[in-house]
Structure formats: C-alpha cells, structure tokens
Amino acid sequence: MGCRGEAGKRGLIRIVRRAEGGAMVDSTGRATGRGAYLHDDPACIELARKRRALDRALRTTIQPELWSELVK
Ligand SMILES: [Zn+2]
C-alpha cells in the first residue's frame, strides 16, 4: 500500500480500524470494518508510517503502539 513493491511476492498484513479509534492487526483476516493491507516488510511499514498512508486509508489516527507492534 503506497509503496512500489510488487503485491503478491510478499505476505500481506491486514489492518482494521477499531471501533474505539486507532487500528489493530487482523490476524484472523476476518475482522469486520474498514481494512487496509500492508506488505509484511519493514521498509514498506516504515513508508506507510511516514506517509500516514494507513491513517488516510482507515480514516483514523494510528496509535504509536500499532507501529511498534508491526515492526517487531
Ligand atoms: Zn510494500
């Protein structure tokens, strides 16, 4: 998402907006609500964080804790 990497070559992480604000990793792939995908790649995750791509896609403010979780 927002990067120039080729989709499909790497794994994708699904992120969904939480009702209470912010977002979470949807590890089951079945959570309801607005969702977005990120490549499971530290460079892509960092790019999305810097560009606020997820914030825009999910129309929320991504909490710092989620980014910490994503990059570990
Ligand atoms: Zn990517």
Side-chain angles (χ1 to χ4, degrees):
M1 175 176 162
C3 78
R4 290 179 184 137
E6 292 174 41
K9 279 194 171 179
R10 303 175 188 132
L12 292 171
I13 305 170
R14 185 164 189 256
I15 311 294
V16 291
R17 188 166 71 171
R18 299 188 303 191
E20 66 268 35
M24 64 179 182
V25 176
D26 174 20
S27 50
T28 66
R30 289 187 216 135
T32 55
R34 181 177 284 271
Y37 291 90
L38 281 177
H39 285 126
D40 186 8
D41 179 294
C44 288
I45 291 165
E46 183 62 16
L47 198 63
R49 187 179 69 80
K50 282 188 182 160
R51 289 183 176 172
R52 299 187 176 276
L54 263 191
D55 306 58
R56 286 199 307 264
L58 299 180
R59 296 180 193 166
T60 187
T61 300
I62 306 300
Q63 72 277 22
E65 293 79 9
L66 180 68
W67 294 115
S68 307
E69 188 183 336
L70 286 170
V71 296
K72 79 181 172 202

